[in-house]
Every structure is written in structure tokens, then in C-alpha cells.
Amino acid sequence: MAEHTAPAHTTERDEILEILREQRRFLRLTVRDLKGEQAGRRTTASELTLAGLVKHVARTEKGWIAIMNGRTESDPDREAAWGDDFRLVGDESLEDVLAFYSEVEAETERAVAALPSFDHPARLPEAPWFPEDAAWSARRILLHLIRETAQHCGHADIIRESLDGATTTAVMGEAVEWGDRTEG
């Protein structure tokens, strides 16, 4: 009979970060083995592309972590070129946005490790979609990031399947076979 061991003690912080890491991994798996042109190709009626989704999710995560850290000033350059969040511009490549995403991930990990508590409040920036003087806890911000990332993973899966028939589920199975549990 196999010996049963109890799972290692994990904290809420560990669990939330692990779920966010999993969602990031799913997004990375969706772009696995793509050539540059494929990553920038539209395959649906939407303007979304796989590289654009990675870029958008990375920039969104960076913005929410800034808010969590008390930086609520607006970014006029990003606001002026909002559509550029969803596509490669200039000489950007899929490799560039994946590297940026890795930098953002490391920044998030450091910011979460430094939190005194998940109850730590963060004032939301002025925006038509937030109530005046609204604040969210760090917990809510991180849960929102998980939701945002998961939503875009679904978009990415549809785009990838339309591109070449690959699905994240199939790629995840291949990744496990290859022993690739952390990178995609």
C-alpha cells in the first residue's frame, strides 16, 4: 500500500500566487512553438492576436500591481495608444512581449512578498468604471488579476485553435509528457 503524506502547509499567499502562475503558464502554452507572423495574425472577427493578448495581460498586471503599491497616477502614453496593448507595434516581437511578461511576473512576486497583509488597501484610480474614492484590498486585486488572465487565456485558446488547430489542453498534455511543468 502506498504511503500517504499530508500536503505541505500552504498559505493564502502561496495559493493565490500559484493560481496566478498557472494562468500565466496557460497563456504561455497557448503561444508555444509559434513563429512571429503566426503570433501576430488575427484568426477571428476580433482584433485580438496571441502576441497582443500576452502584451495586454502583462501590461494590465503591471498596472494593477502599481495600484496595489499605491501608484494610481494615469499613464497618458498608454491611454493615448490603448489599442496598441492588443497588438505588436514597431519592431516588437512575441519574444519581446514574453520577456516583458516574465519581468512583470517577477515584479508581482516581489510586490506580493512585500505585502504586510492581503487586507492591505489600495486606492483605485479615478475612472468612470470605479466609484469615487474606491479602494480594493490586495487580495481583491490579485483575484481580479487571476480572473483577467483566465479570461484572456480563453480568448487565446480560441485564437490558437483557429490558427492551427492546437488547443491549450493538448499542449498542456504534451508539456507534461516533456516534463515541462514551469515554462511554456
Side-chain angles (χ1 to χ4, degrees), residues 123-150:
R123 186 176 163 273
L124 299 181
E126 288 185 29
W129 47 87
F130 294 132
E132 192 173 323
D133 296 323
W136 283 2
S137 67
R139 177 183 299 101
R140 184 168 178 178
I141 288 172
L142 291 166
L143 292 172
H144 177 73
L145 278 176
I146 291 168
R147 177 179 54 203
E148 174 88 13
T149 306

Side-chain angles (χ1 to χ4, degrees), residues 40-119:
R41 187 185 310 157
R42 287 179 49 209
T43 63
T44 66
S46 167
E47 293 288 327
L48 299 176
T49 68
L50 291 169
L53 280 171
V54 174
K55 181 180 175 181
H56 169 70
V57 169
R59 291 184 76 174
T60 298
E61 182 171 326
K62 184 175 181 69
W64 276 106
I65 296 306
I67 291 167
M68 188 179 78
N69 285 328
R71 297 187 307 269
T72 58
E73 64 276 355
S74 65
D75 181 350
D77 292 336
R78 185 173 181 199
E79 291 170 13
W82 178 251
D84 290 348
D85 260 21
F86 296 97
R87 63 180 166 267
L88 299 178
V89 294
D91 61 353
E92 287 179 326
S93 67
L94 176 60
E95 292 76 22
D96 294 336
V97 295
L98 286 169
F100 175 61
Y101 199 20
S102 292
E103 292 169 17
V104 170
E105 180 175 3
E107 182 181 329
T108 298
E109 297 278 332
R110 286 188 299 273
V112 171
L115 284 171
S117 160
F118 272 14
D119 295 324

Side-chain angles (χ1 to χ4, degrees), residues 14-31:
D14 295 333
E15 290 177 349
I16 287 176
L17 281 174
E18 184 57 31
I19 292 168
L20 182 56
R21 285 182 202 117
E22 287 171 358
Q23 292 307 309
R24 289 190 201 109
R25 180 171 181 262
F26 294 157
L27 187 57
R28 285 187 182 101
L29 284 171
T30 306
V31 300

